[in-house]
PDB file of all heavy atoms in Angstrom:
ATOM      1  N   ARG M 341     111.083 111.113 110.372  1.00 96.00           N
ATOM      2  CA  ARG M 341     110.353 111.349 109.138  1.00 96.00           C
ATOM      3  C   ARG M 341     108.901 111.740 109.397  1.00 96.00           C
ATOM      4  O   ARG M 341     108.299 112.636 108.780  1.00 96.00           O
ATOM      5  CB  ARG M 341     110.295 110.022 108.267  1.00 96.00           C
ATOM      6  CG  ARG M 341     109.390 110.025 107.075  1.00 96.00           C
ATOM      7  CD  ARG M 341     109.444 108.605 106.402  1.00 96.00           C
ATOM      8  NE  ARG M 341     109.101 107.470 107.180  1.00 96.00           N
ATOM      9  CZ  ARG M 341     108.013 107.166 107.576  1.00 96.00           C
ATOM     10  NH1 ARG M 341     106.947 107.840 107.257  1.00 96.00           N
ATOM     11  NH2 ARG M 341     107.873 106.120 108.340  1.00 96.00           N
ATOM     12  N   VAL M 342     108.286 111.023 110.468  1.00 95.00           N
ATOM     13  CA  VAL M 342     106.811 111.300 110.751  1.00 95.00           C
ATOM     14  C   VAL M 342     106.809 112.851 111.363  1.00 95.00           C
ATOM     15  O   VAL M 342     105.849 113.525 111.051  1.00 95.00           O
ATOM     16  CB  VAL M 342     106.407 110.375 111.866  1.00 95.00           C
ATOM     17  CG1 VAL M 342     105.118 110.864 112.447  1.00 95.00           C
ATOM     18  CG2 VAL M 342     106.094 108.996 111.100  1.00 95.00           C
ATOM     19  N   ALA M 343     107.846 113.218 112.203  1.00 97.00           N
ATOM     20  CA  ALA M 343     107.846 114.599 112.743  1.00 97.00           C
ATOM     21  C   ALA M 343     107.853 115.674 111.623  1.00 97.00           C
ATOM     22  O   ALA M 343     107.079 116.571 111.639  1.00 97.00           O
ATOM     23  CB  ALA M 343     109.029 114.674 113.653  1.00 97.00           C
ATOM     24  N   ARG M 344     108.651 115.407 110.609  1.00 96.00           N
ATOM     25  CA  ARG M 344     108.797 116.379 109.435  1.00 96.00           C
ATOM     26  C   ARG M 344     107.509 116.412 108.772  1.00 96.00           C
ATOM     27  O   ARG M 344     106.924 117.471 108.452  1.00 96.00           O
ATOM     28  CB  ARG M 344     109.950 115.921 108.648  1.00 96.00           C
ATOM     29  CG  ARG M 344     110.230 116.908 107.571  1.00 96.00           C
ATOM     30  CD  ARG M 344     110.983 116.254 106.413  1.00 96.00           C
ATOM     31  NE  ARG M 344     111.437 117.216 105.452  1.00 96.00           N
ATOM     32  CZ  ARG M 344     111.937 116.744 104.276  1.00 96.00           C
ATOM     33  NH1 ARG M 344     112.100 115.513 104.042  1.00 96.00           N
ATOM     34  NH2 ARG M 344     112.226 117.668 103.321  1.00 96.00           N
ATOM     35  N   GLN M 345     106.916 115.275 108.489  1.00 95.00           N
ATOM     36  CA  GLN M 345     105.584 115.148 107.734  1.00 95.00           C
ATOM     37  C   GLN M 345     104.524 115.845 108.568  1.00 95.00           C
ATOM     38  O   GLN M 345     103.699 116.545 107.980  1.00 95.00           O
ATOM     39  CB  GLN M 345     105.339 113.699 107.536  1.00 95.00           C
ATOM     40  CG  GLN M 345     104.521 113.337 106.447  1.00 95.00           C
ATOM     41  CD  GLN M 345     104.130 111.816 106.297  1.00 95.00           C
ATOM     42  OE1 GLN M 345     104.997 111.077 107.016  1.00 95.00           O
ATOM     43  NE2 GLN M 345     103.188 111.409 105.598  1.00 95.00           N
ATOM     44  N   THR M 346     104.438 115.657 109.756  1.00 96.00           N
ATOM     45  CA  THR M 346     103.401 116.264 110.693  1.00 96.00           C
ATOM     46  C   THR M 346     103.474 117.791 110.609  1.00 96.00           C
ATOM     47  O   THR M 346     102.476 118.502 110.553  1.00 96.00           O
ATOM     48  CB  THR M 346     103.584 115.722 112.111  1.00 96.00           C
ATOM     49  OG1 THR M 346     103.488 114.282 112.085  1.00 96.00           O
ATOM     50  CG2 THR M 346     102.387 116.176 112.985  1.00 96.00           C
ATOM     51  N   ALA M 347     104.722 118.267 110.580  1.00 96.00           N
ATOM     52  CA  ALA M 347     104.930 119.697 110.587  1.00 96.00           C
ATOM     53  C   ALA M 347     104.468 120.247 109.226  1.00 96.00           C
ATOM     54  O   ALA M 347     103.814 121.163 109.012  1.00 96.00           O
ATOM     55  CB  ALA M 347     106.396 120.118 110.795  1.00 96.00           C
ATOM     56  N   GLU M 348     104.991 119.545 108.196  1.00 95.00           N
ATOM     57  CA  GLU M 348     104.821 120.085 106.751  1.00 95.00           C
ATOM     58  C   GLU M 348     103.354 120.060 106.358  1.00 95.00           C
ATOM     59  O   GLU M 348     102.916 120.810 105.389  1.00 95.00           O
ATOM     60  CB  GLU M 348     105.729 119.361 105.820  1.00 95.00           C
ATOM     61  CG  GLU M 348     107.168 119.728 105.969  1.00 95.00           C
ATOM     62  CD  GLU M 348     108.066 119.077 105.084  1.00 95.00           C
ATOM     63  OE1 GLU M 348     107.752 118.195 104.397  1.00 95.00           O
ATOM     64  OE2 GLU M 348     109.281 119.594 105.009  1.00 95.00           O
ATOM     65  N   THR M 349     102.590 119.051 106.916  1.00 96.00           N
ATOM     66  CA  THR M 349     101.160 118.982 106.466  1.00 96.00           C
ATOM     67  C   THR M 349     100.279 119.789 107.379  1.00 96.00           C
ATOM     68  O   THR M 349      99.005 119.831 107.249  1.00 96.00           O
ATOM     69  CB  THR M 349     100.749 117.507 106.448  1.00 96.00           C
ATOM     70  OG1 THR M 349     100.966 116.893 107.793  1.00 96.00           O
ATOM     71  CG2 THR M 349     101.485 116.705 105.383  1.00 96.00           C
ATOM     72  N   GLY M 350     100.872 120.601 108.419  1.00 96.00           N
ATOM     73  CA  GLY M 350     100.047 121.505 109.088  1.00 96.00           C
ATOM     74  C   GLY M 350      98.996 120.873 110.007  1.00 96.00           C
ATOM     75  O   GLY M 350      97.823 121.337 110.154  1.00 96.00           O
ATOM     76  N   VAL M 351      99.325 119.802 110.684  1.00 97.00           N
ATOM     77  CA  VAL M 351      98.462 119.105 111.560  1.00 97.00           C
ATOM     78  C   VAL M 351      97.952 119.961 112.666  1.00 97.00           C
ATOM     79  O   VAL M 351      96.691 120.110 112.987  1.00 97.00           O
ATOM     80  CB  VAL M 351      99.024 117.783 112.055  1.00 97.00           C
ATOM     81  CG1 VAL M 351      98.248 117.166 113.216  1.00 97.00           C
ATOM     82  CG2 VAL M 351      99.110 116.698 110.901  1.00 97.00           C
ATOM     83  N   ALA M 352      98.886 120.596 113.346  1.00 97.00           N
ATOM     84  CA  ALA M 352      98.482 121.382 114.481  1.00 97.00           C
ATOM     85  C   ALA M 352      97.527 122.562 114.188  1.00 97.00           C
ATOM     86  O   ALA M 352      96.521 122.762 114.811  1.00 97.00           O
ATOM     87  CB  ALA M 352      99.779 122.024 115.217  1.00 97.00           C
ATOM     88  N   GLN M 353      97.836 123.261 113.004  1.00 96.00           N
ATOM     89  CA  GLN M 353      97.152 124.360 112.627  1.00 96.00           C
ATOM     90  C   GLN M 353      95.593 123.934 112.265  1.00 96.00           C
ATOM     91  O   GLN M 353      94.679 124.497 112.583  1.00 96.00           O
ATOM     92  CB  GLN M 353      97.706 125.040 111.399  1.00 96.00           C
ATOM     93  CG  GLN M 353      97.320 126.410 111.262  1.00 96.00           C
ATOM     94  CD  GLN M 353      97.744 126.948 109.843  1.00 96.00           C
ATOM     95  OE1 GLN M 353      98.768 126.598 109.321  1.00 96.00           O
ATOM     96  NE2 GLN M 353      97.025 127.931 109.332  1.00 96.00           N
ATOM     97  N   ALA M 354      95.619 122.796 111.592  1.00 97.00           N
ATOM     98  CA  ALA M 354      94.241 122.262 111.214  1.00 97.00           C
ATOM     99  C   ALA M 354      93.414 121.901 112.456  1.00 97.00           C
ATOM    100  O   ALA M 354      92.247 122.072 112.428  1.00 97.00           O
ATOM    101  CB  ALA M 354      94.439 120.979 110.331  1.00 97.00           C
ATOM    102  N   ILE M 355      94.066 121.376 113.518  1.00 97.00           N
ATOM    103  CA  ILE M 355      93.309 121.047 114.736  1.00 97.00           C
ATOM    104  C   ILE M 355      92.734 122.459 115.352  1.00 97.00           C
ATOM    105  O   ILE M 355      91.543 122.483 115.771  1.00 97.00           O
ATOM    106  CB  ILE M 355      94.159 120.353 115.766  1.00 97.00           C
ATOM    107  CG1 ILE M 355      94.489 118.959 115.278  1.00 97.00           C
ATOM    108  CG2 ILE M 355      93.652 120.314 117.115  1.00 97.00           C
ATOM    109  CD1 ILE M 355      95.693 118.215 116.101  1.00 97.00           C
ATOM    110  N   ALA M 356      93.618 123.370 115.387  1.00 96.00           N
ATOM    111  CA  ALA M 356      93.155 124.652 115.924  1.00 96.00           C
ATOM    112  C   ALA M 356      92.052 125.231 115.155  1.00 96.00           C
ATOM    113  O   ALA M 356      90.914 125.826 115.659  1.00 96.00           O
ATOM    114  CB  ALA M 356      94.300 125.742 115.900  1.00 96.00           C
ATOM    115  N   GLU M 357      92.109 125.083 113.785  1.00 96.00           N
ATOM    116  CA  GLU M 357      91.028 125.626 112.917  1.00 96.00           C
ATOM    117  C   GLU M 357      89.747 124.857 113.066  1.00 96.00           C
ATOM    118  O   GLU M 357      88.582 125.460 113.170  1.00 96.00           O
ATOM    119  CB  GLU M 357      91.454 125.583 111.424  1.00 96.00           C
ATOM    120  CG  GLU M 357      92.459 126.647 111.108  1.00 96.00           C
ATOM    121  CD  GLU M 357      93.130 126.395 109.732  1.00 96.00           C
ATOM    122  OE1 GLU M 357      92.623 125.536 108.942  1.00 96.00           O
ATOM    123  OE2 GLU M 357      94.069 127.142 109.339  1.00 96.00           O
ATOM    124  N   GLY M 358      89.796 123.662 113.348  1.00 95.00           N
ATOM    125  CA  GLY M 358      88.655 122.662 113.520  1.00 95.00           C
ATOM    126  C   GLY M 358      87.938 123.101 114.842  1.00 95.00           C
ATOM    127  O   GLY M 358      86.711 123.366 114.954  1.00 95.00           O
ATOM    128  N   LEU M 359      88.742 123.369 115.838  1.00 95.00           N
ATOM    129  CA  LEU M 359      88.217 123.649 117.122  1.00 95.00           C
ATOM    130  C   LEU M 359      87.607 125.166 117.071  1.00 95.00           C
ATOM    131  O   LEU M 359      86.468 125.438 117.768  1.00 95.00           O
ATOM    132  CB  LEU M 359      89.245 123.582 118.224  1.00 95.00           C
ATOM    133  CG  LEU M 359      89.628 122.184 118.634  1.00 95.00           C
ATOM    134  CD1 LEU M 359      90.729 122.299 119.741  1.00 95.00           C
ATOM    135  CD2 LEU M 359      88.455 121.370 119.207  1.00 95.00           C
TER     136      LEU M 359
END
Side-chain angles (χ1 to χ4, degrees):
Chain M
R341 173 180 54 75
V342 167
R344 185 195 185 195
Q345 206 182 343
T346 306
E348 289 182 347
T349 55
V351 166
Q353 201 190 330
I355 290 170
E357 285 168 7
L359 289 177

